[in-house]
Amino acid sequence: MLFIILPAYNEAKQIGRVIRDLFQQLEIGKFTVVLVDDGSTDETARIAEEAGAIVLRHVVNRGQGAALETGGVYARAQGADAVVHFDGDGQFNPVDIAGAVERLRKNNFDIVLGSRFLDNRSQIPFLKRWFIFPVSRLINRLFTGLHLTDVHNGFRVLSRVALEKIVITHDGMAHATEILQLVKKYHLRFAEHPIEVRYYKFGQGPLGGIRLVSDLLFRTIISKR
Amino acid sequence: MSLIQFFLLLFFFYAVNRVFFQYRLGDVSVGQFVLWVVVWVGAAVVVLKPNLTSQLAAFVGIGRGADLVVYATMAVLVFAVFRLMARLEKMNKEITVLTRAVALKNEKLKVKS
């Protein structure tokens, strides 16, 4: 059984549409949508439940990494054979899931990572494409040793094997780098898959990036994991 | 005795008092109690006998006693901040574990009812 995990924080405006689109547009057999409401103060949880998702509710906001891991724990317990990490803000195209899952299953990959750079559907803002991404890619390479065309877009498909191995301990945005570190550590078979990202808001700015790197460094200093 | 010595000693006396009461209430352990008493009494000794730090400073190769106190204090403070950050990180992790457990338990309760 496939589980689609959506972390969401105050996404009441979009979340209903995102979940309905998944159920209407995704032709992939049976799947479960798990929404992890990360301490929202709006109606995210209620709307998601009405749209047909299973809702796990964080009482307080813990960050996207923590929310994904909560979904992961649930999916493991429910016997998921694969999970999809998807965004609750409507920036991904549900249609991309089918191709990515098929790629994972047919080629026996452990994890398939979405990439905005493998086709030209994503209209990436100028500043991001030419300044932020090159720097992020470099930092990512330094921390993970993996050569990827894209960083931190949040679209992933994990096999059961990857789901068992990838236990996220970084609560904030550094989880995206941590996942890649674990891919490398456990020699998981990975591939990139073209996805479309629609830009409604800027996402993580330079300050967020600095925070992410300091999180990674601090954790490296205080623990051996 | 100069005025600054008087006020500092008064403050140290108050600090030792606070530590003692916190120990009596069970808020600090024996180890912490001893550590803090040693810190405050040590500070009082330094205030009463400033020459002691000058001798110690000369012994370790630093010019003035006051410099030695500043260096040592900074080292201790930086270490304390690091320890605090590490503890905060641990507490954050624990809060996440709790939050997750509550989320999963509530989902189970929903399924049952």
Side-chain angles (χ1 to χ4, degrees):
Chain A
M1 171 78 130
L2 179 74
F3 283 71
I4 300 176
I5 301 173
L6 301 174
Y9 177 62
N10 287 342
E11 300 285 2
K13 275 185 192 158
Q14 296 84 269
I15 201 66
R17 181 177 54 80
V18 172
I19 294 167
R20 279 191 298 275
D21 282 357
L22 281 171
F23 285 123
Q24 284 164 10
Q25 297 177 19
L26 192 53
E27 291 169 2
I28 199 172
K30 230 179 149 204
F31 63 89
T32 304
V33 176
V34 179
L35 179 116
V36 186
D37 174 22
D38 195 17
S40 297
T41 50
D42 64 6
E43 296 282 278
T44 299
R46 185 184 59 78
I47 295 170
E49 206 150 25
E50 283 173 9
I54 287 185
V55 175
L56 305 174
R57 190 154 198 289
H58 282 182
V59 183
V60 286
N61 181 255
R62 300 309 300 152
Q64 199 181 54
L68 281 173
E69 182 53 26
T70 298
V73 171
Y74 181 79
R76 282 181 210 114
Q78 298 293 314
D81 66 1
V83 300
V84 177
H85 288 175
F86 205 72
D87 262 6
D89 62 5
Q91 65 166 355
F92 292 143
N93 187 345
V95 174
D96 288 329
I97 293 177
V101 170
E102 194 184 295
R103 194 181 191 125
L104 179 103
R105 287 178 171 159
K106 267 197 177 159
N107 301 289
N108 245 340
F109 286 121
D110 296 314
I111 183 166
V112 170
L113 306 159
S115 171
R116 289 160 277 198
F117 295 95
L118 295 178
D119 64 18
N120 51 15
R121 283 180 297 160
S122 306
Q123 301 295 314
I124 301 164
F126 180 83
L127 193 67
K128 278 204 156 195
R129 182 185 283 271
W130 298 108
F131 292 96
I132 296 178
F133 283 148
V135 176
S136 317
R137 261 198 294 265
L138 187 72
I139 292 173
N140 225 32
R141 205 165 287 178
L142 281 175
F143 274 101
T144 67
L146 297 183
H147 291 245
L148 298 170
T149 60
D150 197 359
V151 282
H152 296 172
N153 64 55
F155 184 108
R156 305 174 193 92
V157 185
L158 284 73
S159 69
R160 178 78 199 187
V161 173
L163 185 62
E164 297 284 349
K165 297 284 185 196
I166 295 176
V167 175
I168 302 168
T169 64
H170 272 285
D171 291 347
M173 293 312 289
H175 74 273
T177 308
E178 183 183 23
I179 289 173
L180 299 180
Q181 286 172 330
L182 294 173
V183 167
K184 175 97 172 168
K185 180 178 174 185
Y186 293 113
H187 307 291
L188 299 178
R189 285 165 43 80
F190 71 94
E192 287 190 292
H193 186 79
I195 58 156
E196 179 186 4
V197 176
R198 284 165 278 189
Y199 287 90
Y200 300 113
K201 50 188 178 189
F202 195 76
Q204 180 169 265
L207 276 180
I210 292 168
R211 167 95 196 269
L212 188 158
V213 173
S214 69
D215 276 358
L216 287 169
L217 284 175
F218 181 63
R219 183 71 71 80
T220 315
I221 296 167
I222 66 163
S223 71
K224 285 185 184 139
R225 150 88 200 259
Chain B
M1 181 187 290
S2 65
L3 207 56
I4 182 73
Q5 281 178 315
F6 174 75
F7 281 120
L8 281 174
L9 286 177
L10 203 66
F11 173 71
F12 296 155
F13 180 72
Y14 168 75
V16 170
N17 238 320
R18 290 290 310 162
V19 174
F20 181 68
F21 277 115
Q22 278 181 326
Y23 171 65
R24 281 255 301 253
L25 287 171
D27 290 346
V28 295
S29 63
V30 188
Q32 277 182 321
F33 171 67
V34 173
L35 176 81
W36 283 111
V37 169
V38 168
V39 167
W40 295 124
V41 171
V45 169
V46 167
V47 166
L48 280 173
K49 299 264 177 209
N51 285 340
L52 265 181
T53 57
S54 300
Q55 285 162 14
L56 201 61
F59 177 70
V60 296
I62 296 170
R64 293 186 312 172
D67 289 347
L68 176 70
V69 172
V70 170
Y71 296 159
T73 308
M74 270 180 64
V76 169
L77 280 180
V78 169
F79 179 71
V81 168
F82 180 74
R83 278 282 304 271
L84 265 178
M85 282 175 73
R87 181 167 290 187
L88 212 65
E89 169 87 2
K90 187 168 170 255
M91 261 173 67
N92 262 325
K93 271 190 184 175
E94 286 167 352
I95 293 172
T96 299
V97 169
L98 270 175
T99 308
R100 182 166 295 138
V102 171
L104 293 166
K105 193 171 177 196
N106 283 345
E107 167 56 26
K108 258 190 205 160
L109 289 177
K110 262 195 279 178
V111 172
K112 268 187 198 162
S113 60

